Amino acid sequence: MPVIKYPRVRDPLFYEWDRKAQKCGLRHTVYAVNGDQYTGEWLDNLKHGKGTQIWKSTGAIYSGGWKFGKRDGYGSYSILDPVTKEYKRVYTGWWENDQRCGRGLFFYPNGEHYEGEWSNGLRSGWGKMHYKDGSVYEGQWLTDQPNGMGVLRLPNGNRYEGGWKDGKKHGPGKFFYPDKGQLLEGMWVADIPKCGVLVDFGRNNAPAPTESPLPEIKLHDPAGVLAEARARFDDSHN
């Protein structure tokens, strides 16, 4: 019975040449099989140190630190505008394990931008977000949403200072209305004020004050009433 010998499957020669190259230290531009190009430092055939990568498929460019083949350290990432053919900066800041991590500045396609802390590519920690409508939020973030304590300033000058959860006003907070000269202090749940006290606050200097001042409500212990409301809120959400 004849013995059939099948040819051994071998990787293309360029893979073997690449393994034998053992790129280390500073190198001129090296082109990948898919057309991507990298200029910079290497260690054991991996991008390591300072370098610049250009992706052929998108035209995006990254220049900064690398660690064992991944973006790590301080660097800047930009994309190519298909119309103007100019580079638009997307992110400048710190990276870890190929993800945004640490402090950095990110520009969104709709014109919004965020400056602050990141973790695993998401806004986490303390940061400041500038929205397209002119609103600005500054405070704590968790997994890309306002979480914790923060301040939201609206374009008309009104602002909210207090607790946040999953991107919504949640917990004790104060909503200032400088345009009307009023202040609402109370408890919020999922962006809705559930209880609180509305008082005049700088009404005499407000540009559009209410027609008449609010009647004064006398409480024996207003601080105690609010503290009790907060305690009930905490108990119901523990």
Side-chain angles (χ1 to χ4, degrees):
M1 183 175 180
V3 178
I4 301 176
K5 293 185 176 180
Y6 295 96
R8 187 176 62 177
V9 178
R10 298 184 60 182
D11 291 334
L13 284 176
F14 56 78
Y15 284 115
E16 184 177 350
W17 295 338
D18 194 56
R19 284 193 295 267
K20 290 181 177 180
Q22 282 300 305
K23 296 182 285 294
C24 286
L26 181 63
R27 288 295 184 96
H28 295 298
T29 303
V30 175
Y31 293 87
V33 179
N34 61 3
D36 294 348
Q37 52 183 292
Y38 172 80
T39 305
E41 297 175 298
W42 297 78
L43 179 65
D44 295 334
N45 264 3
L46 295 173
K47 302 163 192 148
H48 192 88
K50 300 294 183 182
T52 299
Q53 166 97 11
I54 301 176
W55 287 267
K56 183 180 180 180
S57 60
T58 62
I61 182 171
Y62 169 80
S63 183
W66 296 80
K67 188 175 181 180
F68 301 120
K70 296 182 178 181
R71 288 169 291 186
D72 201 290
Y74 190 83
S76 181
Y77 178 78
S78 303
I79 59 173
L80 186 65
D81 190 305
V83 178
T84 64
K85 302 301 179 182
E86 296 180 351
Y87 278 101
K88 298 172 61 177
R89 184 173 51 162
V90 175
Y91 176 76
T92 299
W94 292 92
W95 302 73
E96 184 177 316
N97 197 31
D98 226 27
Q99 299 278 357
R100 294 184 293 273
C101 190
R103 191 162 187 84
L105 175 61
F106 188 92
F107 294 91
Y108 294 84
N110 62 358
E112 298 177 348
H113 67 275
Y114 168 84
E115 183 176 9
E117 296 175 301
W118 299 78
S119 179
N120 294 322
L122 301 175
R123 291 167 291 185
S124 291
W126 191 269
K128 188 174 185 179
M129 181 74 188
H130 296 258
Y131 295 97
K132 190 175 182 179
D133 66 356
S135 301
V136 178
Y137 170 82
E138 183 173 8
Q140 295 174 302
W141 294 76
L142 182 65
T143 58
D144 236 23
Q145 295 284 355
N147 267 278
M149 300 301 295
V151 179
L152 175 66
R153 293 179 173 85
L154 302 178
N156 62 2
N158 295 348
R159 72 184 187 276
Y160 168 81
E161 301 178 2
W164 294 80
K165 183 179 180 182
D166 299 330
K168 296 181 179 180
K169 294 182 282 292
H170 196 88
K174 298 178 181 180
F175 206 114
F176 294 85
Y177 300 89
D179 56 340
K180 297 180 179 180
Q182 292 182 333
L183 163 65
L184 173 61
E185 183 174 4
M187 302 295 295
W188 271 257
V189 176
D191 252 357
I192 300 174
K194 292 296 184 178
C195 66
V197 179
L198 182 65
V199 297
D200 286 328
F201 185 83
R203 181 176 173 277
N204 293 333
N205 297 321
T210 54
E211 198 169 311
S212 58
L214 291 170
E216 185 177 351
I217 300 176
K218 294 184 178 181
L219 297 174
H220 294 294
D221 183 14
V225 172
L226 189 56
E228 183 180 351
R230 289 177 179 172
R232 289 180 180 177
F233 177 87
D234 292 338
D235 291 340
S236 64
H237 289 78
N238 285 337

